[in-house]
Amino acid sequence: MNRTTRDRDEEGRARSARPRDGLGRPLPYGAEGVPRQPEGVVRTPGETVREAQRLLDAGMPFHAHEVFEDAWKSGPAAERDLWQGLAQLAVGLTHAARGNREGGARLLRRGADRLTSRSWERTSGGRDESAQASSEPNAETRAEAGSEAGSDGSGHGSPRTIPYGIDVGGLVTWARELAERAETSPAAVDAAGEAPRLRGQDT
């Protein structure tokens, strides 16, 4: 098949039309692949976390990274390190699952370092408006609402602020432990089996 012209999406943006598998690896044209995530979707932070968790649980971290990518492109600049860090964790898990152990470990540590910076706390209280939508908060909406106030109740970010209910500390620990195991194990990582919990063990 002649592919001298670049593939483009429905809006005319350059994007490969080659099918991909669940880990984002390109397949031959005509093969049956896994649908790509649509680009440029604007979601609330809560929707971003839920969709990314669904994809991670399905063993599709490459697709989860695309969800985080939408968040950092459409969200406030102050939160870019948060969403980019999460995207790097997802890409690191992707590479480790593909068998690229060193590359996966490097990206996992890079994402953990970005999250450790907690730069968003200096300018953002981590407020998720979707948390106010329910008149009877459940565990999930309470987790989102927990980011609306700092540890002093002022509503300003603090070292203990939980952005949108995301378990930043737990994710940093998970990423560094997985990076260590990925480097020392000869086997590829099980993407679904190693999927992190973005909001901790309670969700």
Side-chain angles (χ1 to χ4, degrees):
M1 181 179 295
N2 183 6
R3 290 282 173 179
T4 57
T5 59
R6 297 186 68 183
D7 296 324
R8 296 188 179 275
D9 62 16
E10 294 179 354
E11 297 182 4
R13 295 172 298 195
R15 194 184 201 198
S16 174
R18 285 184 65 178
R20 292 177 180 263
D21 67 9
L23 291 174
R25 292 171 292 203
L27 300 171
Y29 284 106
E32 183 176 355
V34 175
R36 295 281 301 275
Q37 286 296 113
E39 286 188 338
V41 178
V42 178
R43 304 175 180 88
T44 68
E47 289 169 342
T48 293
V49 173
R50 287 189 289 273
E51 177 64 3
Q53 187 67 71
R54 180 186 72 80
L55 293 165
L56 289 167
D57 291 344
M60 299 166 64
F62 178 82
H63 296 71
H65 120 269
E66 293 184 315
V67 172
F68 291 133
E69 189 174 82
D70 282 339
W72 99 55
K73 289 181 178 179
S74 64
E79 296 177 5
R80 189 165 297 160
D81 276 349
L82 172 64
W83 301 115
Q84 284 185 338
L86 293 170
Q88 286 175 323
L89 296 190
V91 174
L93 176 56
T94 298
H95 279 278
R98 291 176 179 177
N100 178 12
R101 295 176 292 153
E102 291 185 2
R106 184 169 57 251
L107 283 163
L108 286 164
R109 291 192 178 104
R110 190 178 300 167
D113 289 345
R114 191 178 291 272
L115 291 178
T116 301
S117 75
R118 305 184 76 93
S119 62
W120 59 89
E121 291 180 344
R122 294 190 286 272
T123 52
S124 170
R127 187 180 183 88
D128 186 352
E129 298 299 334
S130 67
Q132 303 176 23
S134 173
S135 60
E136 297 181 2
N138 55 22
E140 182 174 279
T141 56
R142 284 197 301 272
E144 293 177 10
S147 64
E148 295 184 13
S151 59
D152 60 357
S154 65
H156 299 292
S158 73
R160 297 180 61 186
T161 298
I162 303 174
Y164 310 119
I166 297 169
D167 182 11
V168 172
L171 289 169
V172 169
T173 299
W174 165 85
R176 290 178 173 160
E177 290 179 351
L178 181 58
E180 183 72 21
R181 285 188 283 114
E183 285 181 326
T184 58
S185 173
V189 165
D190 177 358
E194 295 287 357
R197 304 306 303 170
L198 300 176
R199 285 179 167 153
Q201 297 299 322
D202 295 334
T203 58

